[in-house]
Amino acid sequence: MKFTLSWLYDHLETSATVEEICAKLNQIGLEVEGVENPGAALEPFLTARILEANQHPNADRLQVCRVDAGPGMNDVQVVCGAPNARAGLAVIFAKPGTYVPGLDITIKAGKIRGEASGGMLCSLRELGMGEDTGGIAELPEDTLPGQSYADFAGLDDVVIEIAITPNRGDALSVRGIARDLAAAGLGTLRPWMAEAVEGTFESPITWENSYPEACPWVLGRTVRGVKNGPSPEWLRRKLETIGLRSISTLVDITNYFCFDLGRPLHVFDVKKLSGSRLTLCHGAGETFKALDGQDYTVTPDDCVITDANGVQSVAGIMGGDASGADEGTTDVFVECALFDPVHIALSCRRLGLSSDSSYRFERGVDPALPVAAMEAATRMIIELCGGEASEVVSAGEQPKWQRDATLRFNRVRDLGGLDVPAEESVALLEKLGFEVQEKTDTHVRASVPSWRNDIAQKPVLAQGRDLPADQAARAAEGVELIEAESDLVEEVLRLKGLDAVPPVPLPSVSVVPAVALTPRQVRAARARRVLAARGLVETVGFSFVSHEDALRFGGAPDTLRLLNPIASDLDQMRPTPMVNLVAASQRNAARGWADIGLFEIGAGFSEDGQQQIAAGLRAGHTPRYPGQVSTAVSLWTAKADALELLTQLGVSVEGLSATPDAPSWYHPGRSGVLRQGPKMVLGYFGELHPSLLQVEGIDVPVVGFEILLDAVPEPKRRRKAAPKLSAFQPVRRDFAFVAARDVPGEKLLKAVKGADRNLVSDVSLFDLYEGEHVPEGHRSMGVEVTLQPVDKSLTDAELEAVSERIVAAVAKATGATLR
C-alpha cells in the first residue's frame, strides 16, 4: 500500500516528521517497506526567468541568454540551443554542479563557441519527467525566480509504502492508516462525513441480484450530463505519485476512493449499456474483453454483471471494455457493492486476474460505508464533471456485521507478555473506534467498528463431518469468543508498540530435543552420501515423464495420466527415477560425455501407490589409470553399488539372494533381483535392455540399479557385545566344483558356508570356467574358503574332515562334484 505524506495529511492532523511517522507505523504493525522522495533529485533545479535572449555570434542555432535565477544569481549568462528560448520566459535553471538525470551529466561552467555559459536551461525530458523535446520547459508567467523547482511543482511529496497483512483490509486506505496513527498518539484524525446529494430523477438503470451469496448488497445511481476529460492537477498528481496512471476524471475518481477510503467503485457508460437493468448473476461460459484489453472466460462459479447484451464486468474485479467510460461519456451509472471475499479470491485464481479492487474485496471492506461512499463519489463527479444525479437504486440488503467482543484484562499479560493497566487498554480500544458496552474490574465488552471486518466477521471453522451438531455448535461458539478476544489483545499490544512486547522463548517440550529428521529422511541422506562417495553424481528430475517413456519402464496406467500436464511430453507419473537417468545419460552422450555415473533418490509411482527409490546408472567405460586399462561398465559394478548401499543402510548382505527375474527394462540374462527371503524384493541391478538403449539413441554400455528404500527394513537395535578376536591364524583353502550350468553360484556358496558355521568364516567365488576338461552343459566354479579356528590350531586331520564336510554339503545342495 502506497500513500503520500500530503494525502495522509488530508485525514491526519499532525506535526510529526516523516521519520516519526515511519517509526510509529513499524511499532503498530504496519511495516514500512520503503520511503521515497521523488523531488529529492530535483531539489538543486531552480525557477528562473530569461531577461534577454540574443543570437550567438558564432552559431546560428544558439542564443546567449541573460537569466535571473534568484538571489545571488540574478544575472547569469547561459548559452541555450532551445528554439523557444525568449526574453520574459519563466524557465527551469540548473546551476554548475547540478546533476541532470535525463542526460546523466553534471553541469559545468565553461564556454560554448567562445561565449561563457554558467548553467543550463532544462526541458522536462532532461529532468527525467517526460518525453517532450520541443524545447525548454515553459513555466507560468507569474513564477518567481529562485524557488526550488521540486517545491514549485509540488514534487517534494514523500511516498511511503507499507506491507499489509491479510487481516488488515482497513489499512488498504489512507484514512485507515491515519486512524491507526491517531489512535497510537501521533496526531488527531480529521472528521469525515459525506454530504448527501439529492436525486432529481429516477435512475434509468436498476439492479437485479440473482447471486446474493457472492454479492449481498449493491447500490447504484445515474449521473447524467457529465463532461469527462483529463483530471485536474491535484487528482492526477495524487494517483501518479503512488504509481497509478491517470486515465480520465471519471475513472480517476473511482481510483481515488479505492485508495482514499478503501472503497472500490466502478462507473458504466449508460449509453453503452443495453436495456434498463444490470444483473448480478452466475457466469455461463461467456468470453468478454476486460478493461486491461484481455479476453476472459467466466465460469458458473464467477459472479458477473450483465446487461441485455451479456457480460459487462467480472463483479468486484474488473469492468468490461465495452461499457467503460471514455472522453465521449455523458451519462454514467456508478456501482458500489459488497462482495464476498472468498468468492472474489476464487474467481481471481480461476481467471488469473487481479486488480486493486479485488485486492481489497479479498481482505474485506467496510460493510457500513457504501451509502456514504456513494454520496461522496457522486458529489466529486458533479464537482469535477458537472451533471445531475438520480435517486439511489439498490438490490439486496446490508449484511448484519454488528458484533461485540470481550477482553479479559489479564489476557493481555498472559498472551502478550505485557502488563497493560485496564483503564489504558479500554482507552486504546476506544481510540480505534470500539464502543464500550460493559466494563467491570476484570473485563470489558465492546462493539466492534464496521471498518475492522477482520474482528467483526465470524470466523470460518472447518469441522469434521461426523461431529454431532451440538458439539459443532459449541466448538464454533467457543472459537468465536477466543478469536475475538485474541484480536483485542493484539490491538492493545500493537498500539502500545510491538517493540515494547518482551521476547519470551517458547517452553521446552523436553530436556532432550526431538529428532529433527524422520527415519525416512535419514535413510535418504545416508544413501546420497554413499552413492556420491562411489563416484556417482546426483541429479534431480521431474516426477512426470512422457507416456511413451513410462511404457518402456514398466507400464503407464491411465490412473497415473496427468489431465493438465505442464507440457505435452510430461503427461505421465514416472514409474521409476531410472527414466530420468537414462534421458540424462543420452543428453550427456550427445554432448560428448558418454562415460558418466548418475544417481537420483526420488519417487516412483504405480497403481499401488508411491515409493521412494534410489536409482543409479553408469554408462560408457571406466576411467583409465596407470597400469589399468579402461573397460566397459559391467553388471558387477552395478551390483557392487547396490550391495554397498544396502550394507550402509544396515542390511546384512549374507542374508540376501539374487534371482534372474529383473524388470523388463533390464537385460534378461545379465541382471538380477536382490531379495531378502523369497518374497521381500529390495532392488534390481544389471545391464539395461539393448532395445531400450536403441530407442534412446545410446550406443555405449549402460548398467544400473534401483534400491526400493521403503522396502529396506529398519536395522534392529541390538546391544553390541565386545568382538571375539581369535588368537589363531586363519586357514584358506581353494575348492573347484563342477556343477550344471543352471546351478546358481550363490546356492553353492551358501552350501559351503553351512557346512561348518563355527569354522567357515568367509566364502568367495574367484573363478568360473567352461571348456576343455569340463563336461558339456557344466561349468567349474572356484571357491576360496576361509577357516578361522577359535580354541586351537587345526591339525591336518581336522582340516581334511572340514574339507570332506564342505564337499558333501555342496554335493547334497547342488549336485556338484569336486573337480
Side-chain angles (χ1 to χ4, degrees):
M1 170 67 185
K2 286 185 177 182
F3 61 93
T4 62
L5 205 58
S6 64
W7 202 340
L8 180 67
Y9 291 157
D10 291 345
H11 295 279
L12 182 68
E13 185 176 348
T14 182
S15 58
T17 64
V18 175
E19 291 75 16
E20 292 172 334
I21 291 174
C22 291
K24 185 62 68 174
L25 287 171
N26 285 324
Q27 290 173 5
I28 62 178
L30 301 178
E31 182 182 357
V32 176
E33 291 195 317
V35 179
E36 179 186 358
N37 185 355
L42 303 180
E43 194 68 27
F45 294 88
L46 303 174
T47 58
R49 186 176 302 279
I50 300 177
L51 302 177
E52 291 182 1
N54 300 314
Q55 180 66 42
H56 193 292
N58 302 318
D60 294 338
R61 296 185 179 183
L62 298 179
Q63 298 186 69
V64 180
C65 303
R66 285 181 51 242
V67 177
D68 178 7
M73 303 186 70
N74 50 12
D75 192 4
V76 180
Q77 180 169 302
V78 178
V79 176
C80 178
N84 60 332
R86 60 186 182 275
L89 181 66
V91 293
I92 303 172
F93 172 72
K95 60 185 178 181
T98 301
Y99 173 74
V100 182
L103 299 178
D104 192 24
I105 62 172
T106 299
I107 300 300
K108 297 180 181 179
K111 289 187 176 182
I112 300 178
R113 294 290 184 93
E115 294 291 329
S117 182
M120 177 180 179
L121 305 182
C122 304
S123 67
L124 293 179
R125 182 186 66 82
E126 290 162 342
L127 267 63
M129 298 178 57
E131 297 297 329
D132 183 16
T133 58
I136 56 178
E138 300 186 13
L139 304 184
E141 292 183 4
D142 57 352
T143 301
L144 296 176
Q147 302 179 67
S148 167
Y149 179 71
D151 294 339
F152 169 80
L155 299 175
D156 57 344
D157 201 358
V158 176
V159 180
I160 302 174
E161 182 175 6
I162 61 174
I164 303 296
T165 53
N167 66 316
R168 292 301 308 278
D170 65 301
L172 287 170
S173 67
V174 179
R175 184 163 184 82
I177 297 169
R179 185 187 297 115
D180 263 17
L181 289 172
L186 205 69
T188 304
L189 184 67
R190 299 182 188 274
W192 181 86
M193 182 176 293
E195 185 178 351
V197 177
E198 183 179 357
T200 59
F201 61 95
E202 291 186 2
S203 175
I205 305 295
T206 59
W207 285 113
E208 179 180 341
N209 188 358
S210 61
Y211 200 172
E213 298 85 2
C215 179
W217 191 31
V218 60
L219 306 176
R221 77 188 316 174
T222 301
V223 182
R224 66 188 182 190
V226 300
K227 183 178 180 181
N228 196 19
S231 293
E233 179 67 18
W234 70 267
L235 178 56
R236 181 186 61 79
R237 185 174 297 167
K238 275 186 183 294
L239 299 179
E240 291 180 348
T241 306
I242 63 172
L244 294 180
R245 181 172 59 91
S246 177
I247 299 174
S248 67
T249 304
L250 289 172
V251 177
D252 290 353
I253 289 172
T254 63
N255 288 332
Y256 170 80
F257 281 101
C258 185
F259 282 82
D260 186 65
L261 299 178
R263 177 64 256 180
L265 302 168
H266 183 63
V267 290
F268 296 92
D269 188 326
V270 173
K271 293 184 179 180
K272 295 179 181 179
L273 297 175
S274 179
S276 60
R277 177 175 297 174
L278 288 176
T279 304
L280 285 151
C281 59
H282 296 265
E286 302 98 331
T287 298
F288 88 113
K289 180 179 289 187
L291 287 172
D292 62 358
Q294 302 297 317
D295 290 334
Y296 298 95
T297 301
V298 295
T299 72
D301 292 325
D302 298 318
C303 182
V304 297
I305 298 176
T306 65
D307 65 359
N309 282 336
V311 176
Q312 298 300 330
S313 172
V314 180
I317 302 178
M318 189 172 291
D321 180 69
S323 58
D326 55 27
E327 293 182 356
T329 299
T330 57
D331 300 338
V332 293
F333 183 72
V334 185
E335 168 217 328
C336 182
L338 287 178
F339 294 101
D340 177 71
V342 175
H343 279 82
I344 292 293
L346 293 177
S347 287
C348 287
R349 293 182 184 180
R350 280 191 295 267
L351 300 175
L353 177 62
S354 184
S355 65
D356 290 326
S357 296
S358 67
Y359 190 76
R360 285 156 177 77
F361 281 127
E362 287 174 348
R363 286 151 182 79
V365 296
D366 187 346
L369 186 60
V371 173
M374 175 64 77
E375 299 293 348
T378 303
R379 182 159 296 279
M380 184 175 288
I381 289 174
I382 292 174
E383 288 176 353
L384 299 183
C385 302
E388 57 177 333
S390 73
E391 297 175 350
V392 177
V393 295
S394 66
E397 59 183 9
Q398 184 181 29
K400 296 180 179 180
W401 54 267
Q402 294 81 0
R403 181 186 177 195
D404 290 348
T406 300
L407 171 66
R408 291 169 288 176
F409 298 125
N410 61 354
R411 299 300 285 170
V412 178
R413 179 191 67 248
D414 297 342
L415 292 179
L418 194 62
D419 196 0
V420 182
E423 293 299 331
E424 186 177 0
S425 296
V426 174
L428 292 174
L429 292 176
E430 287 180 326
K431 289 180 179 179
L432 283 174
F434 292 84
E435 295 183 3
V436 175
Q437 303 296 321
E438 176 190 357
K439 180 179 177 296
T440 68
D441 293 338
T442 59
H443 71 274
V444 62
R445 181 171 59 86
S447 60
V448 182
S450 61
W451 52 81
R452 289 309 303 270
N453 55 77
D454 58 315
I455 304 175
Q457 292 181 352
K458 292 184 178 182
V460 178
L461 182 62
Q463 297 179 320
R465 296 180 180 179
D466 55 348
L467 191 67
D470 57 337
Q471 293 184 21
R474 289 197 301 271
E477 183 179 356
V479 169
E480 181 180 345
L481 294 174
I482 293 171
E483 184 177 274
E485 184 177 47
S486 300
D487 288 336
L488 295 186
V489 170
E490 179 186 357
E491 296 306 303
V492 172
L493 291 176
R494 70 182 188 85
L495 289 186
K496 285 289 293 182
L498 294 179
D499 52 352
V501 178
V504 178
L506 293 174
S508 300
V509 178
S510 63
V511 177
V512 179
V515 177
L517 300 176
T518 65
R520 177 187 176 96
Q521 291 171 324
V522 172
R523 181 182 298 171
R526 183 174 299 169
R528 286 187 175 89
R529 290 196 298 269
V530 171
L531 296 177
R534 293 187 64 83
L536 301 178
V537 178
E538 184 177 10
T539 67
V540 179
F542 283 125
S543 291
F544 23 83
V545 295
S546 71
H547 183 72
E548 293 73 18
D549 286 343
L551 282 174
R552 289 191 285 272
F553 285 85
D558 290 338
T559 54
L560 297 178
R561 194 82 175 263
L562 299 180
L563 298 178
N564 186 25
I566 61 173
S568 59
D569 58 343
L570 298 174
D571 59 347
Q572 186 80 34
M573 302 305 294
R574 69 181 182 187
T576 169
M578 186 63 73
V579 185
N580 304 74
L581 296 182
V582 171
S585 174
Q586 188 277 331
R587 289 193 295 271
N588 278 275
R591 289 161 177 79
W593 292 93
D595 302 334
I596 195 169
L598 305 172
F599 80 92
E600 180 179 351
I601 298 176
F605 301 87
S606 67
E607 290 186 298
D608 296 330
Q610 174 181 335
Q611 60 179 337
Q612 192 176 38
I613 301 174
L617 175 147
R618 293 183 186 272
H621 295 75
T622 61
R624 293 187 298 175
Y625 295 105
Q628 180 178 344
V629 298
S630 176
T631 60
V633 294
S634 68
L635 67 94
W636 306 116
T637 306
K639 183 178 182 181
D641 290 333
L643 292 179
E644 178 63 19
L645 177 55
L646 290 172
T647 300
Q648 295 299 327
L649 294 178
V651 177
S652 175
V653 176
E654 295 179 356
L656 298 180
S657 61
T659 58
D661 52 339
S664 60
W665 54 92
Y666 287 97
H667 193 297
R670 300 176 185 174
S671 60
V673 178
L674 294 173
R675 298 177 180 270
Q676 192 175 50
K679 296 182 179 180
M680 179 66 72
V681 175
L682 299 184
Y684 320 109
F685 69 91
E687 295 183 11
L688 295 191
H689 202 287
S691 63
L692 172 67
L693 301 181
Q694 184 178 9
V695 171
E696 295 290 342
I698 301 175
D699 57 0
V700 296
V702 179
V703 298
F705 65 89
E706 296 162 80
I707 299 299
L708 312 180
L709 294 180
D710 293 335
V712 176
E714 287 291 328
K716 296 181 180 179
R717 297 174 182 248
R718 296 176 179 175
R719 181 176 296 178
K720 294 183 178 180
K724 293 182 180 181
L725 302 177
S726 176
F728 302 96
Q729 290 288 339
V731 178
R732 293 180 175 84
R733 288 287 182 90
D734 292 345
F735 297 84
F737 294 98
V738 177
R741 186 180 297 165
D742 59 353
V743 173
E746 185 179 272
K747 188 175 182 181
L748 187 144
L749 295 177
K750 286 187 176 181
V752 174
K753 183 72 174 177
D756 192 328
R757 295 188 179 276
N758 294 326
L759 285 177
V760 178
S761 62
D762 188 32
V763 182
S764 62
L765 180 69
F766 68 85
D767 180 57
L768 286 174
Y769 173 73
E770 294 183 37
E772 190 177 358
H773 305 303
V774 176
E776 183 71 25
H778 290 68
R779 61 181 175 177
S780 172
M781 289 185 278
V783 178
E784 181 186 58
V785 181
T786 302
L787 303 175
Q788 178 61 65
V790 178
D791 301 325
K792 62 177 183 176
S793 296
L794 297 176
T795 64
D796 290 342
E798 289 171 336
L799 289 174
E800 287 298 326
V802 172
S803 298
E804 290 176 1
R805 289 197 296 271
I806 291 174
V807 173
V810 171
K812 182 178 179 180
T814 65
T817 60
L818 190 64
R819 182 179 175 187

